[in-house]
Amino acid sequence: MDIPHQRLVYFQVTIEAGSVRQAAARLDIAPSAVSRQLTLIETALGAPLLERSRNGVVPTAVGEMLLAYCRKRSALDDAFSEELDAYQRLETGHLSLTVGEGFVGDLIDTPLRTFTESYRGVRLDVNTGSTSEIIDAVVEDEAHIGLMYHERVHPKLRFWHSSRQPLVALMSPTHRLAREQDALPLAVLSEHPLALWRTGHGVRQLVEEGFREAGLRHQVSMQTNSLSVLKHAARSELTLTLLPAFAAARELEDGLLVARSVDCERFLQAHAHIVTRVGRRMPRAGLQLLRHLERWMRAFNSRTEAGINATHS
């Protein structure tokens, strides 16, 4: 049914007012204009809409159906306006994030907790993935926001915020390299067994690039797809691992691990990134979350580097 909305308003006001003349007075237009609009509706529907009674005009059977339709449509319009108002006030909405596993602890500890406390009606979907999976999720609009490490450029990604987050050596406080105060040469690390991400992971690619450019080979004693396994392996003193410091911020603060910088330009230039798809219009809640992550996540400020190469008792 292709009847202009304003024409339906004339019909509904006529029924509610009880006459064409009174409807015209409410609408501040000529009675002939109201009659003309009602005639156009009747022509479109092929049936009369009104009949006269002692109390004015009343709807015919088709008029009753049209009146019910108008009222349902008006209720839908009102409901949509209320939902839109709530959405614009950031009271409702849905946001999806796909992030590297190393960001999870940093993300959940403070930023998401404080965001959800402020915007309780906004539902968050948080998924983890490799660098390539994060890029695919953002580019294919499966995720509003991506948090990833190391990747520097991509034609379909907008880099909202990037922060230098060097790859560091994480180890037990009792590991003999934990006492070193200077940056660890790659040649020294090549003499120690390493626990690393599986081949294909962004951090593992960065490790491979660093050692290859230095003409060195590393000793991989363990590889995994689990951040938890990497951190526990480093705590065991049997191995070291190579990660950005924010990925183990809680363990570093608690003294369960120590971080030592590595003398490798490739490692030093690694960055953490907040990305969205180029050209995607972000919902208001999404823009607010982007600002929130930039402000509160360790991965996007300099506090994470505090404590690297500091003395631990």
Side-chain angles (χ1 to χ4, degrees), residues 25 35 52 61 77 128 139 142 146 158 195 197-198 207 219 229 285:
S35 295
R52 295 187 179 277
D77 287 343
T128 61
V139 169
E142 295 172 2
R158 176 179 178 180
W197 288 104
R198 288 192 183 279
V207 172
Q219 300 179 40
V229 170

Side-chain angles (χ1 to χ4, degrees), residues 159-233:
F159 287 74
W160 280 81
H161 187 83
S162 296
S163 174
R164 191 174 71 89
Q165 293 291 342
L167 202 60
V168 299
L170 296 174
M171 64 199 76
S172 165
T174 58
H175 193 285
R176 69 182 183 87
L177 291 181
R179 296 188 294 273
E180 297 292 331
Q181 297 305 304
D182 296 330
L184 299 173
L186 281 183
V188 171
L189 290 183
S190 68
E191 298 171 356
H192 293 265
L194 300 175
L196 298 176
W197 288 104
R198 288 192 183 279
T199 301
H201 191 280
V203 173
R204 177 66 178 271
Q205 292 175 1
L206 180 57
V207 172
E208 302 289 351
E209 290 167 5
F211 276 91
R212 183 172 60 251
E213 290 172 2
L216 296 168
R217 297 186 57 145
H218 48 59
Q219 300 179 40
V220 182
S221 64
M222 180 187 302
Q223 59 180 8
T224 180
N225 63 352
S226 167
L227 177 63
S228 178
V229 170
L230 290 177
K231 291 190 289 190
H232 276 82

Side-chain angles (χ1 to χ4, degrees), residues 89-283:
R89 293 193 302 268
L90 302 183
E91 293 176 0
T92 62
H94 161 243
L95 294 172
S96 177
L97 296 85
T98 301
V99 306
E101 190 180 353
F103 291 93
V104 172
D106 188 8
L107 183 67
I108 300 296
D109 282 351
T110 299
L112 287 196
R113 178 173 58 80
T114 55
F115 182 83
T116 54
E117 286 174 352
S118 300
Y119 308 106
R120 295 183 182 277
V122 178
R123 192 187 86 221
L124 298 174
D125 290 346
V126 181
N127 300 295
T128 61
S130 64
T131 300
S132 60
E133 289 170 338
I134 295 165
I135 292 172
D136 289 344
V138 172
V139 169
E140 298 299 325
D141 287 340
E142 295 172 2
H144 292 92
I145 299 170
L147 303 181
M148 65 183 195
Y149 184 70
H150 179 42
E151 185 81 14
R152 292 302 304 272
V153 293
H154 190 283
K156 294 185 178 180
L157 292 182
R158 176 179 178 180
F159 287 74
W160 280 81
H161 187 83
S162 296
S163 174
R164 191 174 71 89
Q165 293 291 342
L167 202 60
V168 299
L170 296 174
M171 64 199 76
S172 165
T174 58
H175 193 285
R176 69 182 183 87
L177 291 181
R179 296 188 294 273
E180 297 292 331
Q181 297 305 304
D182 296 330
L184 299 173
L186 281 183
V188 171
L189 290 183
S190 68
E191 298 171 356
H192 293 265
L194 300 175
L196 298 176
W197 288 104
R198 288 192 183 279
T199 301
H201 191 280
V203 173
R204 177 66 178 271
Q205 292 175 1
L206 180 57
V207 172
E208 302 289 351
E209 290 167 5
F211 276 91
R212 183 172 60 251
E213 290 172 2
L216 296 168
R217 297 186 57 145
H218 48 59
Q219 300 179 40
V220 182
S221 64
M222 180 187 302
Q223 59 180 8
T224 180
N225 63 352
S226 167
L227 177 63
S228 178
V229 170
L230 290 177
K231 291 190 289 190
H232 276 82
R235 287 173 57 183
S236 72
E237 196 181 344
L238 298 175
T239 63
L240 318 159
T241 192
L242 293 166
L243 292 169
F246 68 81
R250 178 63 61 82
E251 289 81 3
L252 292 172
E253 289 171 1
D254 292 343
L256 300 173
L257 289 173
V258 296
R260 292 290 172 260
S261 59
V262 180
D263 185 13
C264 173
E265 189 63 24
R266 177 73 67 171
F267 291 3
L268 293 172
Q269 295 306 314
H271 284 67
H273 308 283
I274 302 176
V275 298
T276 63
R277 178 176 62 77
V278 169
R280 181 168 193 176
R281 295 187 63 184
M282 295 295 292

